[in-house]
Amino acid sequence: MSRDYTEMEKKWQKAWTDQKLNEAEPDSRPKFMLIFAYPGLTGYLHVGHLRGYTYADAIGRYKRMTGHNVLFPVGTHATGNGAISLYNKIHAQDPKTIDYLKRNGCTDAELAGLTSPMAVVKFFNGVYVNEYWKRFGFLADWRRFTCTLFPDYAKFIEWQFCQLKAANLLIQKPYYAPFCPNCGPVAVDPSETDLSKGGNAETQEYTLLKFWCEEQQLYLVAATLRPETVFGQVCFWARPDLEYVKIKKGKEIWVVSPQAAEKLELQMDGVTTIGKVKGDEMIGWQCRAPMLHKLIPVFPAAFVDPDVGTGLVTSVPSDAPDDWDSLEKVKQDPALRVKYGLSQKLIDSVKPVSIISIEGYGEFPAQTIIEKMKIADVEDPAKVRELMEEAKKQVYKDGYHMGRMKDTCGAFAGLRVEEAKDKMKQAMLDSGEAELFRDLTEEVVCRCGRRVHIKRIDDQWFIDYGNADLTARTKEHCKGMQIFPQEYYDNVGGVLDWFRERACVRLGNWLGTKFPFDPKWTIEAISDSTLYPLYYTISLYANEGRIKPEQMKPEFFDYVVLEKGTAAAVAAATGIDTTLLDKIKADVHYWYPLDINLGGKEHMTVHFPVFLMNHRAILPDSMQPRGIIVNWYVTGKNKDKISKSKGGAQPIPGAAAKYGVDSMRLYYAHVASMFVDVEWDEDIVFMYRQKLERIMTVVEDLIAAETDVPAGDIDAWLLSRFNTHLAEIRTAMEKYDLRQMATVVYYDMTNDIRWYGRRGGKDKKTIREALRIWINTMMPITPHVAEELWHEAGFEGLVAAAQLPVADSRVQSAAAEYGEDLVQEVIGDVNTIRKIAKTETKKAVIYTSPAWKVDVLKMALADQTAGKLSIPALTKECMANLELRKNGKATAEFAKKTAVDVMHAGAAARQPVADLNETALLQSACGFIASELGMEIAVYSADDTAKYDPQNKAHVAVPGRPAIYLE
RNA sequence: GCCGACGUAGCCGAGUUGGCCAAAGGCGGCAGACUCAAGAUCUGUUCCCUAGCGGUUCGCCGGUUCGAAUCCGGCCGUCGGCACCA
């Protein structure tokens, strides 16, 4: 059967909003406020993003149907340059961008309206709200929607920063940032939000080593990542074919590559280029090596890269494969000697010095690795370069972890490399022989096209997340929070400890709130999204125009949030009347604290810590967050990010139309736990769609089948099962385990209904009661289908507004539930035996346990309940009974088995076995079993003297496990 | 490199306070039913052996224990974060 899902969804969505089910106003119920971490407005989202959002809506709906007044607000994060960049591409008519927009459903008219970055923001705000969240049936309070670029939101952020300042958590100090000459500081990260190239680059700290060249009265400056190797320096490398520059740095003159000079200017004061010097000119110069204080010669080397470090390199052939290799070349190439006028004596005087001992390496680790990797045998220069890089990394890694400084290393002899590195660096910095320099590990290019380098920014503002008191108080609070998964709860304290100061403002042309203490700065993207859930309690009034941004002065927030000042004074300062002020204040304190903040796993070490710390820093105890849920991703095939070229990039509205919103919601909820990644697979979504359709058919068949008949055992069984399921659902949802709930509702309950039908159940009263429960439980995850079925079943009102029934323990019966298990088990056993026997069978005889075994079981249960069950005790007890004693050996054996079993499983699990009259149950189910198996069935008690038992099977029957004979 | 997490049958994934766990559920496979037909639905089955017994499994190696998918150590592999992306 094919349904028009889209139409059905629209119908019920309209019914919900007509009744304002999504709009949250304070009342007398307990409140529940949850959000998902708002998404960055970077363009269209894909089906993976809906996973977390759907969890939030389902949890909100569940809370609503269990007595809570739920506030579920949404918003978007647009701070940064994403919208500017997108706008620029649209403006430039970039074909790829236009195609991307159109493919995702942007019409020509809409495209024509994207005439500014803010227009882009507004457009996507509409897309997210209408095409994603409303489309998916979310019961979010749309009236409260906010965006980080709204003027009222800015007022809130300004206030937040005033609070941070007042708490002494804003500090200023120099900072080294990736910097574009056009755009200012940029974020270097793999998502390349700000970049067109180089997202994987890292900032590396080099030690600049200064080599005094007496005859030239200047310093040759080399950059190294291995300051611990200075005792192994034997010469110095320059590229003869390059032109270097002389720069003046204070009173000193340095020689570096022009590229390095440009970078140094960004990081150091008073650096100016004053001249040039050719590489080949320098060959043969003598310079004094730092730490070693020995003269070493400048030799030519081809591997030197002017873009890396300073374009000059100090040579430590013992531990650097490139140095080893280049020194070999100098020694073996007579032409070089002639070309640069180097004397044989000078060349001979340069010998590697062994400085670090590493297990598994020889005297000279660089030599060892070159030989081990057989680099000398490789012809292709590109391949050689690659191998040399690998060799360098390997030697470095082994040296760093396992190496120890040899006696040649002066005061540092004996130290592990790990320790020596920092100590030697510090010693040279202290003596003025070295300075620090930061560089990126690969070429980074800004979205504007300019090359990005590291720049020192002197007056950078930070939020001081390293503050010990704040960290301690935040950690303390976390202990009382509900944080899922457990692993993150256990670890969040460690994350908070690790968190240190974080730059919170940036220069350049960015969208965002201006820093209130100096408008040249814009508050950056993470810092303006830490306390924002609070703002949803206020945004309603700004969105409705009842308060104006210019009225939202610090006094306003002080009053409504922190309850500082008086309504009269704040009214005078802001022009907002006192009634409204007090209404807003009441709202804030009704809704806050936040109960759940739900977000993807990438938030664990960035957003969640700052969210927690800003709350702790600014708000009182009564407003601290109560819960965090982390969800994992939906990935493309083979764990790639969902690729735009494959199915996963199918626009969300398209997927919703194709599968139906509820199928996708069920897919998200059930396909895996929240805490594992899932591969997007359309076939699996389709399967969930079929599952839902089957359930709808089952319900409709049930409605059609119901008649007024007397209720029987199977009716009691079904109601017992469903009430048990209600209890299971509540237990699962205490941990927000949507997957467990989905398993119960869509699988276990479906199977129960099916079994009920198979066993001939059709009592109208039972069916209506079961449906009432079942459809209710479907509401959180598949609300549209639930609403449709609720309507078809003729129940009143909207199920979205209904309350989940509470499990009624009076109709729950362990014995009734167990009885049906036994029937199924008997059928299963007969099938198994029939299959193994591989012969034609026409008749099955079932023998239930003899009464004496039931008696023994009852004794064991009583003993277990009294806490005194043991094998000898039970055996003795049995032997005290004269009847049992007659059959002493068998009784003792059975008593032993029973005791062990009851001790394992517990009395509660076995009680129903003892309570059930197996013979009566199986005899009454006899007809059913016969029709299921398609053979004749006879049921006897093992005690029945007139039973048919040609193979003497009856004696193996035990309670819960009837014996079976087939013929 | 550092911090954290994960690794389960053909596949996706439950299970991890150690004990009815050969291990839920789904997909896929096989057999059957129904059917004009359906990526339909229903029933049974799906590690090996077997009248329900039993045997070998939960990345690899070793250890603790009466007992380990669950605890400990090492190794291998995957994922996230690593500071101006949320």
Side-chain angles (χ1 to χ4, degrees):
Chain A
M1 173 189 351
S2 162
R3 291 169 192 271
D4 187 337
Y5 284 96
T6 304
E7 195 181 318
M8 181 181 96
E9 287 152 9
K10 275 190 194 153
K11 176 175 65 179
W12 296 117
Q13 286 167 10
K14 181 171 185 304
W16 299 329
T17 45
D18 282 352
Q19 293 205 12
K20 299 185 192 290
L21 291 180
N22 59 314
E23 295 185 7
E25 291 294 338
D27 62 25
S28 59
R29 286 174 292 170
K31 68 89 190 178
F32 190 87
M33 177 176 179
L34 84 163
I35 61 159
F36 53 76
Y38 52 20
L41 268 185
T42 50
Y44 290 95
L45 299 180
H46 60 68
V47 287
H49 293 102
L50 267 303
R51 184 178 185 189
Y53 309 156
T54 297
Y55 291 153
D57 183 62
I59 291 169
R61 284 174 175 271
Y62 175 80
K63 283 288 169 183
R64 230 173 233 114
M65 73 186 317
T66 51
H68 295 84
N69 187 13
V70 172
L71 173 57
F72 173 33
V74 295
T76 60
H77 183 273
T79 308
N81 80 341
I84 296 176
S85 153
L86 191 55
Y87 163 72
N88 286 341
K89 285 182 187 167
I90 295 166
H91 188 67
Q93 294 288 311
D94 171 52
K96 269 172 122 174
T97 306
I98 305 292
D99 177 55
Y100 160 76
L101 290 166
K102 288 193 171 173
R103 211 173 47 237
N104 279 282
C106 183
T107 64
D108 287 329
E110 285 167 333
L111 193 55
L114 301 179
T115 54
S116 69
M118 271 314 283
V120 171
V121 169
K122 282 182 182 150
F123 171 71
F124 277 107
N125 278 340
V127 170
Y128 283 29
V129 168
N130 296 310
E131 294 182 27
Y132 303 157
W133 300 331
K134 285 190 178 173
R135 185 80 178 77
F136 266 67
F138 290 3
L139 288 187
D141 191 344
W142 312 110
R143 303 171 304 161
R144 298 172 189 263
F145 176 86
T146 197
C147 169
T148 58
L149 297 185
F150 285 0
D152 52 308
Y153 188 92
K155 290 293 170 185
F156 175 68
I157 297 303
E158 284 173 18
W159 174 77
Q160 180 192 344
F161 273 74
C162 290
Q163 296 302 119
L164 291 172
K165 186 98 187 292
N168 283 321
L169 289 167
L170 290 182
I171 56 178
Q172 249 181 323
K173 65 175 190 178
Y175 181 70
Y176 293 87
F179 189 90
C180 163
N182 270 349
C183 307
V186 293
V188 175
D189 71 278
S191 67
E192 301 196 334
T193 311
D194 298 349
L195 309 176
S196 62
K197 189 180 173 192
N200 291 312
E202 289 173 38
T203 303
Q204 250 173 349
E205 190 184 83
Y206 287 89
T207 306
L208 293 184
L209 299 176
K210 292 153 65 177
F211 295 74
W212 177 245
C213 187
E214 181 69 30
E215 54 186 306
Q216 303 294 330
Q217 291 291 304
L218 47 71
Y219 287 99
L220 301 180
V221 179
T224 183
L225 292 166
R226 304 197 58 189
E228 74 278 12
T229 62
V230 287
F231 282 100
Q233 299 176 104
V234 295
C235 60
F236 193 92
W237 302 121
R239 266 266 292 272
D241 57 318
L242 291 180
E243 187 170 72
Y244 290 83
V245 294
K246 292 182 185 173
I247 57 171
K248 195 157 192 296
K249 199 235 165 205
K251 288 177 187 164
E252 301 174 353
I253 295 172
W254 291 8
V255 174
V256 296
S257 71
Q259 290 91 328
E262 191 190 331
K263 296 174 196 171
L264 287 172
E265 277 176 45
L266 292 169
Q267 293 182 32
M268 293 172 172
D269 292 326
V271 172
T272 45
T273 302
I274 55 170
K276 294 178 179 173
V277 53
K278 289 209 162 23
D280 54 7
E281 248 177 78
M282 293 192 277
I283 310 302
W285 287 3
Q286 296 274 333
C287 56
R288 191 166 292 278
M291 190 71 93
L292 216 48
H293 306 132
K294 209 180 95 180
L295 283 179
I296 58 172
V298 180
F299 282 170
F303 73 89
V304 175
D305 184 342
D307 277 308
V308 175
T310 55
L312 292 170
V313 178
T314 183
S315 170
V316 184
S318 59
D319 289 81
D322 273 316
D323 296 356
W324 180 273
D325 184 57
S326 298
L327 185 59
E328 293 279 291
K329 287 200 174 107
V330 170
K331 290 196 174 222
Q332 285 162 16
D333 187 352
L336 283 178
R337 247 171 281 162
V338 178
K339 190 170 177 188
Y340 299 111
L342 303 168
S343 75
Q344 188 63 42
K345 196 179 152 205
L346 179 67
I347 291 174
D348 289 345
S349 74
V350 173
K351 291 192 185 116
V353 178
S354 176
I355 51 165
I356 295 174
S357 70
I358 313 171
E359 209 186 308
Y361 286 83
E363 185 77 356
F364 303 115
Q367 181 188 20
T368 309
I369 191 102
I370 286 174
E371 286 170 3
K372 226 189 254 174
M373 292 175 64
K374 300 193 169 74
I375 296 177
D377 302 344
V378 180
E379 300 275 326
D380 176 17
K383 184 73 185 168
V384 169
R385 190 68 250 140
E386 194 181 303
L387 289 173
M388 289 298 268
E389 287 298 323
E390 200 185 316
K392 188 162 82 181
K393 273 187 192 158
Q394 194 59 44
V395 171
Y396 179 77
K397 198 167 139 187
D398 291 342
Y400 187 77
H401 293 287
M402 311 193 296
R404 204 167 268 281
M405 307 310 291
K406 286 189 171 176
D407 291 344
T408 41
C409 299
F412 303 94
L415 289 179
R416 292 186 301 116
V417 169
E418 257 182 280
E419 295 172 89
K421 188 187 182 90
D422 286 339
K423 288 191 174 160
M424 292 169 77
K425 178 166 80 179
Q426 197 55 49
M428 290 189 286
L429 290 171
D430 291 345
S431 69
E433 291 173 291
E435 299 203 18
L436 292 179
F437 165 67
R438 292 163 182 83
D439 200 4
L440 293 159
T441 50
E442 59 182 273
E443 186 182 7
V444 176
V445 180
C446 180
R447 279 204 176 166
C448 76
R450 294 288 295 267
R451 181 79 188 258
V452 170
H453 293 304
I454 302 295
K455 179 177 162 55
R456 189 185 69 187
I457 296 167
D458 282 315
D459 52 354
Q460 173 68 48
W461 288 92
F462 293 81
I463 297 177
D464 185 13
Y465 294 116
N467 181 295
D469 174 60
L470 176 60
T471 302
R473 288 191 298 130
T474 309
K475 280 167 73 177
E476 187 55 33
H477 172 70
C478 286
K479 285 185 195 158
M481 288 180 69
Q482 276 198 303
I483 297 177
F484 298 103
Q486 177 70 30
E487 289 75 23
Y488 186 52
Y489 175 88
D490 293 340
N491 194 232
V492 73
V495 175
L496 292 167
D497 278 334
W498 163 84
F499 228 89
R500 54 171 201 260
E501 316 85 50
R502 188 182 174 100
C504 62
V505 292
R506 64 197 301 178
L507 299 169
N509 182 25
W510 305 94
L511 298 175
T513 302
K514 293 290 167 220
F515 190 55
F517 310 105
D518 183 350
K520 82 173 180 186
W521 299 99
T522 303
I523 293 169
E524 65 77 42
I526 287 170
S527 302
D528 78 351
S529 41
T530 59
L531 199 65
Y532 74 94
L534 174 66
Y535 187 63
Y536 288 123
T537 63
I538 299 168
S539 59
L540 170 67
Y541 298 96
N543 288 345
E544 290 179 344
R546 297 168 69 183
I547 50 175
K548 304 258 179 297
E550 58 273 21
Q551 294 176 310
M552 297 164 72
K553 298 176 178 172
E555 298 94 312
F556 165 75
F557 291 105
D558 281 346
Y559 182 72
V560 299
V561 177
L562 301 177
E563 305 185 272
K564 281 189 190 160
T566 63
V570 176
T574 62
I576 305 170
D577 77 61
T578 57
T579 317
L580 185 55
L581 281 170
D582 285 328
K583 166 75 176 129
I584 296 172
K585 181 162 76 108
D587 271 20
V588 171
H589 291 273
Y590 175 81
W591 292 116
Y592 236 58
L594 182 68
D595 291 279
I596 290 291
N597 184 355
L598 185 149
K601 63 176 171 176
E602 76 279 15
H603 292 100
M604 287 195 284
T605 51
V606 185
H607 171 249
F608 288 138
V610 296
F611 156 76
L612 290 165
M613 286 181 128
N614 276 277
H615 275 78
R616 190 60 275 186
I618 294 171
L619 300 179
D621 291 349
S622 60
M623 299 176 81
Q624 296 304 311
R626 289 178 175 157
I628 288 176
I629 299 176
V630 185
N631 71 273
W632 266 237
Y633 301 156
V634 175
T635 64
K637 288 269 183 187
N638 306 317
K639 310 232 157 125
D640 296 337
K641 296 268 176 199
I642 289 186
S643 107
K644 293 189 162 64
S645 58
K646 295 176 190 159
Q650 176 177 48
I652 290 169
K658 185 170 179 187
Y659 301 109
V661 164
D662 283 353
S663 305
M664 291 187 70
R665 291 176 62 114
L666 179 57
Y667 162 78
Y668 293 125
H670 187 260
V671 72
S673 95
M674 290 186 192
F675 316 125
V676 297
D677 287 330
V678 171
E679 279 187 20
W680 174 251
D681 183 339
E682 300 217 359
D683 291 345
I684 298 197
V685 184
F686 186 80
M687 187 196 88
Y688 278 104
R689 182 180 132 144
Q690 286 178 182
K691 179 78 197 169
L692 263 188
E693 291 191 345
R694 237 173 293 158
I695 287 174
M696 293 176 83
T697 308
V698 167
V699 170
E700 283 157 3
D701 289 350
L702 210 55
I703 294 168
E706 60 186 26
T707 48
D708 290 312
V709 294
D713 289 346
I714 199 62
D715 296 284
W717 172 84
L718 183 69
L719 294 178
S720 175
R721 288 285 290 181
F722 269 37
N723 278 278
T724 300
H725 290 320
L726 280 174
E728 288 167 353
I729 287 168
R730 287 194 190 249
T731 305
M733 286 304 286
E734 274 168 25
K735 293 186 292 177
Y736 303 110
D737 190 345
L738 285 167
R739 183 171 207 260
Q740 179 58 28
M741 176 162 87
T743 299
V744 171
V745 174
Y746 300 94
Y747 293 86
D748 297 346
M749 292 174 88
T750 308
N751 288 340
D752 286 348
I753 285 285
R754 213 179 269 160
W755 183 254
Y756 174 76
R758 256 169 96 180
R759 293 285 266 123
K762 53 187 170 193
D763 174 52
K764 182 171 182 177
K765 200 158 161 280
T766 303
I767 288 175
R768 297 209 62 73
E769 181 55 26
L771 282 181
R772 177 181 289 282
I773 293 171
W774 196 19
I775 296 171
N776 255 297
T777 62
M778 294 181 199
M779 197 280 284
I781 295 173
T782 55
H784 309 90
V785 163
E787 206 65 76
E788 183 77 9
L789 293 176
W790 188 257
H791 176 73
E792 284 181 22
F795 292 123
E796 282 184 14
L798 293 172
V799 70
Q803 289 292 296
L804 186 68
V806 177
D808 184 348
S809 57
R810 289 168 306 174
V811 301
Q812 284 179 265
S813 157
E817 295 193 24
Y818 165 70
E820 289 306 307
D821 289 346
L822 184 68
V823 172
Q824 291 183 20
E825 211 170 299
V826 166
I827 294 172
D829 282 351
V830 171
N831 266 323
T832 305
I833 299 167
R834 176 158 65 170
K835 195 188 83 193
I836 293 163
K838 291 191 179 92
T839 53
E840 197 65 12
T841 47
K842 285 187 185 152
K843 180 174 179 181
V845 189
I846 297 163
Y847 313 96
T848 58
S849 169
W852 70 266
K853 288 184 183 175
V854 178
D855 292 341
V856 173
L857 175 60
K858 282 181 175 165
M859 277 186 237
L861 288 168
D863 288 356
Q864 174 75 357
T865 309
K868 57 173 188 183
L869 178 62
S870 70
I871 296 169
L874 183 65
T875 312
K876 260 186 199 167
E877 207 178 332
C878 291
M879 291 311 156
N881 179 315
L882 284 180
E883 280 303 307
L884 289 177
R885 196 169 178 163
K886 282 182 195 161
N887 204 0
K889 203 169 174 190
T891 305
E893 207 170 292
F894 182 69
K896 184 182 163 195
K897 269 191 177 170
T898 306
V900 169
D901 177 67
V902 170
M903 284 189 282
H904 268 299
R910 289 294 177 267
Q911 193 64 50
V913 180
D915 292 346
L916 184 73
N917 182 340
E918 287 183 7
T919 318
L921 173 90
L922 290 174
Q923 274 168 351
S924 81
C926 194
F928 171 70
I929 296 171
S931 73
E932 285 288 310
L933 289 168
M935 61 172 85
E936 193 184 329
I937 301 290
V939 176
Y940 298 101
S941 163
D943 293 332
D944 187 343
T945 48
K947 64 183 178 290
Y948 174 74
D949 187 10
Q951 284 196 0
N952 194 25
K953 288 275 180 192
H955 76 282
V956 296
V958 297
R961 207 79 204 265
I964 293 164
Y965 165 68
L966 297 189
E967 68 176 20

